[in-house]
Amino acid sequence: MSSTSNKIALFIDGANLYATAKTLGFDIDYKRLLKEFQGRGTLLRAFYYTAIIEDQEYSSIRPLIDWLDYNGYTVVTKATKEFIDASSPNTSTRWCCSPVTAIFVRLWKRCSAAASASRWSRPSPASLR
């Protein structure tokens, strides 16, 4: 099968990719990453998921998000909410629902509908764990 017949969708968990790269001591070249997947087939879309702290005037991730959006990535952000624990004066928690989970649920439903209409059968949920 030729590489041009492969259809590819790229889903990047921004926070985990950043943390992993930082731990391993290198930077990600997002332009090169996009070109690498474009060279492996037809790149339908490249998603980059990340959380942004709500009510913050400046976010250090904003320049990266803007660059990714301008350079071919579909950026999906979710605002975090900060909760203050009244019982402990110096405790706060930032919480964010995963946008990735919501997208995968929608994709699963679409794939399920398409699979039932075609000759392919979808994998069982147990096989995906």
Side-chain angles (χ1 to χ4, degrees), residues 40-97:
R40 293 177 181 229
T42 304
L43 183 62
L44 302 175
R45 193 162 300 162
F47 291 97
Y48 185 90
Y49 297 91
T50 191
I52 296 179
I53 300 170
E54 200 172 70
D55 301 330
Q56 188 178 31
E57 282 188 32
Y58 174 78
S59 174
S60 60
I61 198 168
R62 177 53 63 189
L64 173 63
I65 290 170
D66 292 342
W67 186 92
L68 291 170
D69 188 45
Y70 184 78
N71 287 285
Y73 287 84
T74 300
V75 178
V76 181
T77 60
K78 179 72 175 175
T80 60
K81 297 192 184 287
E82 189 167 24
F83 296 97
I84 308 297
D85 185 358
S87 64
S88 180
N90 295 324
T91 305
S92 69
T93 304
R94 290 190 181 125
W95 181 79
C96 167
C97 287

Side-chain angles (χ1 to χ4, degrees), residues 10-64:
L10 184 59
F11 298 89
I12 300 171
D13 179 346
N16 281 322
L17 182 62
Y18 173 79
T20 301
K22 186 176 177 181
T23 300
L24 295 174
F26 64 88
D27 292 328
I28 303 292
D29 183 344
Y30 289 99
K31 185 176 255 185
R32 186 173 171 201
L33 180 67
L34 197 61
K35 285 184 180 183
E36 176 64 32
F37 280 96
Q38 287 170 336
R40 293 177 181 229
T42 304
L43 183 62
L44 302 175
R45 193 162 300 162
F47 291 97
Y48 185 90
Y49 297 91
T50 191
I52 296 179
I53 300 170
E54 200 172 70
D55 301 330
Q56 188 178 31
E57 282 188 32
Y58 174 78
S59 174
S60 60
I61 198 168
R62 177 53 63 189
L64 173 63

